[in-house]
Every structure is written in structure tokens, then in C-alpha cells.
Amino acid sequence: GPCLFFITTLGTYLRPSVVTAVNMATLVGIFELFVVFETMKCVVNACIALAAEKSMEKQMEVQRRQERMASKGQALLKTKFGDKLLKSAAAIVRGADSRSRRK
């Protein structure tokens, strides 16, 4: 930007040590921009991707668990004991609902 303008226009009037210092500062800035910041950006993106993947794995595990529980529930309903259990659970729920309405 402006530093390049001043160095190119006033460079012939500046001491060589000042021109060298500005050139070194420019190289350090370029190194920092393209190496340090880009590396940090890649590391942050990788961490975000890993966190998203881990979250997706947990979500899939919960979904598989719910599917297993649902299939076990269906298998339980096919038996006579499961039918009795379901009826008693429904009666308990109806009793709890009627008690909560009274209050």
C-alpha cells in the first residue's frame, strides 16, 4: 500500500539501511500473513470439522438406540405379557391424568 508508494518514490533519498529495514518488515509481514494466519485458519477449520463429525456420531448413536428400543417394544407387544404390560401402563397413565385434572 502506502509504504510501497513511499519507498518507490522516496527510495532514492532514503538511506540503504532504512530501505533494507522496510523490505525486511515487508517480508516478515508476508510470512506472518501467509504462513502463520493461514495455518491457524486451517487448524481452526479442522477442529470445527472434527467437532461436527463427533456430534454427528453421537446423534447417530442416539438414533440407533431409539430404533433398538422401538424394535424391542414392538417385540414385547407381540407377547401376551407385553399386551398386559401395555394395558397396565395405559391405566396408570390415565389414573395420573385424572389425578392431575382434579388438582
Side-chain angles (χ1 to χ4, degrees):
C3 291
L4 181 63
F5 170 74
F6 287 119
I7 292 300
T8 54
T9 56
L10 303 174
T12 55
Y13 303 109
L14 295 175
R15 292 186 310 252
S17 62
V18 173
V19 173
T20 304
V22 170
N23 289 336
M24 288 299 128
T26 303
L27 289 176
V28 168
I30 290 171
F31 174 78
E32 186 176 354
L33 176 68
F34 289 115
V35 175
V36 175
F37 291 146
E38 289 296 318
T39 302
M40 288 305 297
K41 183 175 78 171
C42 290
V43 168
V44 168
N45 286 339
C47 289
I48 290 171
L50 285 173
E53 184 178 340
K54 193 73 163 176
S55 174
M56 184 67 73
E57 286 176 6
K58 286 183 180 182
Q59 185 178 2
M60 293 297 291
E61 178 62 32
V62 167
Q63 184 178 359
R64 285 192 297 261
R65 185 177 298 136
Q66 288 174 345
E67 289 171 0
R68 281 194 309 267
M69 290 171 63
S71 68
K72 286 180 182 179
Q74 289 173 353
L76 185 64
L77 287 177
K78 290 179 182 177
T79 65
K80 290 183 180 180
F81 176 73
D83 192 32
K84 286 182 183 180
L85 185 65
L86 185 63
K87 287 178 183 177
S88 64
I92 291 172
V93 169
R94 273 181 287 182
D97 284 345
S98 64
R99 278 187 249 131
S100 65
R101 289 182 192 157
R102 289 182 204 161
K103 294 180 181 181

